[in-house]
Amino acid sequence: MNKIRFTSIVTPPPLEVKPTQLTELARGITTNQWLPPELPPGITIDKYSLPRSLTEILQDLTDNRQTNITLLEWIHCIYNKQHWDEKQPQTKQIVTTSKRIWREANVNRFLLKILCSLLITDYEHKRERLAQSLRNTFPTLVNLQPENLIVQITNYRKQEQFDKIAQLCQQHCLTPKQILSQAELPLRLPNLLDKTYNYIASNLTIWKSTSQEQVNWFLACLDEMEVTQEIKAVESLLNNFSTSIDSQFLQSIREWLSNNYNSQATGSKYYQLSTTAKQNLRKLLGLANYRDFKTLVDIILNKLSLEHWEANQLEARKYFWSHYSDRFENIRILLPQSSLNAIGDKLQKKVDILEDDGSDPTEVCIFDFGDWFVVEFFRSSGSETRLFNRFKHLDIKTKLFDSASLSIKKLRRLGGHVQDHVFFWQYYCEQSLRQKGILPNEGITKFRINSTTSRDYKKQREGLPPPNGQQIADRERKLKRWQEKINSLEAEAFLWEQSYQ
């Protein structure tokens, strides 16, 4: 076998380089003569003396020569004050110098931020980086700047008055994280944040607020909270809400709750609420949604020129659905362009436009009752109610609430259970809703039929009193004509759909 031969590599011996310039620099330091290495042209060198002692720095402070103290010397002073204090024979001198430092912080923002940041983090993390004398004399600064935000927050944290910090947040409409940022304090203060959020969660005054800005502030706080704190806040909110709150503010609260606690949403936090909170949530969402429906009906009655029978029917619907106001989980309002032109900006809730498909104009409200959706046609021929089961019509929610293009004929082509508004319709509609698990509000004993008439209601038995024989006969005659009209309208919708396919 042939052997492989490798060529030997011979390297020259290493050069001996002596650090002559470093040697000269070192010699210069010992003799206080600076001899720096040669630098590029145009680069000048400042000649600094050796760092001053803390005693010299504090003497400048005592003699009102603060301008002689550099930023680095202030940092040196703050971090080493405790060590200096321990070597002083007189307590008075220790306290006096600390008070002077706080007085200087009153006019020196840099010093103020360092001192308050160290003090607040010392209390937050239970450590003592700041000298005891500085912690004890902090009231000197509080007396000088009681309204300064950074001083207020630091003082409240020192005294563990987290309720005061929460009040500051509400006063300035800033979340706890935002107010720390504005005050230029550290954001990593978990104990302060946690206890401030807890106070906001358990001590709500938001329902007495008359400011949209305050409502927005509270919702922003909710978005910053941990889940457990948020649920605590929502529980408190739901157990203390007032039915007299301004509808504009109620709308904001409702939208947030719908987005975050919708019982139908995947991963919803609804199921982490207590039974009482769940009931109050349904009432709150239902109340707000029914208000929108009622407001729309009242505006239409006042703004549109309706036939007498149309106005009566519309008013009867308003009274009928008032008995279900706790059950509305969501609502969508659809208007023909003619109605929107007449109503203008009278309705605060967002509305969508119905496409013109040649049908008689009518307003439409779509109600979400959880397992069922109700489509209510306000007026015109037919003027029916359609009910859709969420589980039998798997994509019905998307079609009813998310579709950007709906028309009367499109809605009728969706099918569903059709409920009439013919003579004595309230009895039959209540029965139909009951069979589908949609029950009136708790405690209902009277059903208002119109502005002057009410009927007894017994939830545990038959509900409303049934019609008598003559009333049934009258209804059957009218119902037959109504059914013929509905059949005709559905046929028109079918033909219309075919013509566009």
Side-chain angles (χ1 to χ4, degrees):
M1 179 180 292
N2 295 328
K3 294 182 178 180
I4 300 175
R5 296 180 181 275
F6 293 95
T7 303
S8 299
I9 299 176
V10 180
T11 59
L15 295 174
E16 290 188 13
V17 180
K18 295 182 179 181
T20 55
Q21 289 182 315
L22 287 176
T23 302
E24 292 175 357
L25 179 61
R27 290 188 186 131
I29 290 174
T30 59
T31 61
N32 210 23
Q33 298 291 323
W34 289 84
L35 300 172
E38 185 179 350
L39 295 177
I43 303 297
T44 60
I45 295 183
D46 292 330
K47 295 182 179 180
Y48 295 98
S49 61
L50 290 172
R52 295 197 296 165
S53 68
L54 201 57
T55 299
E56 291 176 295
I57 297 171
L58 292 174
Q59 188 61 49
D60 271 351
L61 185 63
T62 301
D63 295 340
N64 293 320
R65 294 195 301 268
Q66 295 90 330
T67 55
N68 291 342
I69 304 174
T70 67
L71 298 182
L72 286 176
E73 286 178 331
W74 277 124
I75 294 173
H76 173 57
C77 176
I78 292 168
Y79 277 91
N80 293 282
K81 183 67 163 60
Q82 180 65 40
H83 183 66
W84 185 85
D85 288 352
E86 291 169 357
K87 295 182 177 181
Q88 304 311 305
Q90 295 182 356
T91 303
K92 181 179 180 181
Q93 188 177 13
I94 296 171
V95 174
T96 300
T97 52
S98 290
K99 286 184 176 180
R100 286 182 180 275
I101 291 173
W102 284 118
R103 290 193 186 100
E104 177 61 19
N106 181 49
V107 295
N108 186 327
R109 182 69 183 178
F110 171 80
L111 186 59
L112 176 68
K113 288 194 294 183
I114 292 179
L115 286 167
C116 287
S117 295
L118 282 172
L119 182 60
I120 202 168
T121 51
D122 274 0
Y123 282 101
E124 180 76 7
H125 301 292
K126 297 182 179 179
R127 58 194 180 197
E128 297 181 358
R129 293 183 302 174
L130 202 64
Q132 184 67 47
S133 62
L134 287 169
R135 290 201 298 273
N136 292 341
T137 55
F138 174 64
T140 303
L141 179 66
V142 177
N143 292 333
L144 292 170
Q145 295 200 47
E147 301 300 321
N148 190 321
L149 192 58
I150 189 173
V151 178
Q152 287 178 305
I153 296 173
T154 305
N155 188 38
Y156 292 148
R157 176 62 187 90
K158 179 177 181 291
Q159 300 180 59
E160 298 193 353
Q161 294 179 312
F162 301 102
D163 58 327
K164 298 288 189 182
I165 298 176
Q167 289 170 15
L168 274 180
C169 290
Q170 186 169 2
Q171 175 187 337
H172 293 276
C173 284
L174 295 170
T175 67
K177 288 182 180 179
Q178 289 171 341
I179 205 168
L180 288 177
S181 178
Q182 180 157 313
E184 298 182 273
L185 284 166
L187 296 181
R188 294 180 64 83
L189 302 174
N191 193 40
L192 179 150
L193 290 172
D194 185 63
K195 292 187 177 180
T196 303
Y197 286 132
N198 284 340
Y199 185 85
I200 292 172
S202 59
N203 296 272
L204 297 178
T205 58
I206 197 64
W207 293 107
K208 299 177 182 178
S209 171
T210 57
S211 166
Q212 181 67 53
E213 188 180 18
Q214 288 280 300
V215 176
N216 293 340
W217 162 79
F218 175 68
L219 296 180
C221 289
L222 287 177
D223 288 333
E224 276 191 4
M225 292 179 184
E226 297 292 334
V227 173
T228 53
Q229 293 169 325
E230 179 190 305
I231 291 173
K232 180 179 179 181
V234 171
E235 289 266 354
S236 182
L237 182 153
L238 292 172
N239 293 333
N240 292 281
F241 80 89
S242 169
T243 56
S244 61
I245 185 174
D246 188 289
S247 60
Q248 180 183 355
F249 306 146
L250 185 62
Q251 172 75 7
S252 299
I253 298 290
R254 177 187 65 178
E255 288 178 358
W256 188 92
L257 289 170
S258 296
N259 292 335
N260 293 275
Y261 286 83
N262 183 345
S263 61
Q264 303 296 329
T266 303
S268 171
K269 288 171 279 191
Y270 170 82
Y271 297 99
Q272 298 181 54
L273 296 175
S274 66
T275 301
T276 301
K278 289 176 185 175
Q279 292 172 347
N280 289 335
L281 175 62
R282 289 193 292 269
K283 288 180 181 179
L284 173 59
L285 296 180
L287 172 67
N289 287 313
Y290 173 74
R291 255 188 201 177
D292 290 335
F293 168 72
K294 177 181 178 297
T295 301
L296 176 62
V297 171
D298 289 340
I299 292 173
I300 290 172
L301 289 172
N302 290 327
K303 293 290 184 178
L304 301 185
S305 299
L306 303 180
E307 297 288 342
H308 181 68
W309 64 270
E310 282 186 310
N312 287 343
Q313 278 278 38
L314 198 50
E315 189 172 67
R317 312 267 187 96
K318 178 180 70 174
Y319 287 117
F320 179 84
W321 290 114
S322 70
H323 306 104
Y324 297 84
S325 61
D326 292 356
R327 310 306 192 215
F328 290 70
E329 293 192 13
N330 200 359
I331 183 175
R332 184 182 186 187
I333 297 174
L334 297 151
L335 303 179
Q337 187 63 55
S338 58
S339 296
L340 186 63
N341 293 341
I343 290 172
D345 59 355
K346 300 296 183 182
L347 194 65
Q348 291 181 342
K349 182 175 174 62
K350 175 182 176 295
V351 300
D352 296 306
I353 302 297
L354 280 166
E355 289 183 350
D356 185 2
D357 59 11
S359 300
D360 291 341
T362 179
E363 301 71 33
V364 174
C365 270
I366 303 174
F367 309 140
D368 181 353
F369 283 107
D371 293 345
W372 288 85
F373 298 102
V374 174
V375 179
E376 181 75 273
F377 296 80
F378 276 27
R379 55 196 177 93
S380 75
S381 55
S383 186
E384 74 271 26
T385 296
R386 291 177 180 265
L387 294 92
F388 300 88
N389 184 280
R390 179 189 295 269
F391 304 105
K392 290 183 179 179
H393 303 79
L394 297 182
D395 60 346
I396 193 64
K397 182 179 186 298
T398 300
K399 291 179 178 178
L400 293 177
F401 278 89
D402 299 331
S403 175
S405 58
L406 284 175
S407 70
I408 301 299
K409 287 184 171 66
K410 285 182 181 179
L411 288 169
R412 285 189 170 125
R413 285 300 297 152
L414 293 176
H417 171 81
V418 185
Q419 186 68 43
D420 68 271
H421 291 99
V422 177
F423 179 61
F424 235 89
W425 65 269
Q426 289 92 340
Y427 169 80
Y428 293 95
C429 191
E430 191 277 333
Q431 291 284 313
S432 180
L433 293 174
R434 176 196 294 269
Q435 293 168 8
K436 295 170 176 58
I438 304 174
L439 301 175
N441 303 340
E442 293 293 332
I444 295 290
T445 59
K446 293 282 187 180
F447 240 73
R448 291 190 68 183
I449 304 302
N450 51 44
S451 59
T452 59
T453 306
S454 296
R455 293 177 187 159
D456 291 334
Y457 178 78
K458 298 178 181 179
K459 177 181 175 181
Q460 302 303 324
R461 288 185 286 174
E462 71 277 7
L464 287 167
N468 58 37
Q470 183 60 50
Q471 290 169 332
I472 292 174
D474 291 344
R475 172 178 164 78
E476 288 298 325
R477 287 194 300 272
K478 295 177 180 179
L479 187 61
K480 184 178 180 180
R481 292 195 298 270
W482 174 84
Q483 188 62 62
E484 290 173 351
K485 182 62 179 178
I486 287 294
N487 292 340
S488 173
L489 291 171
E490 290 184 337
E492 287 180 12
F494 173 77
L495 294 173
W496 176 86
E497 183 181 63
Q498 294 300 308
S499 66
Y500 283 92
Q501 288 183 348

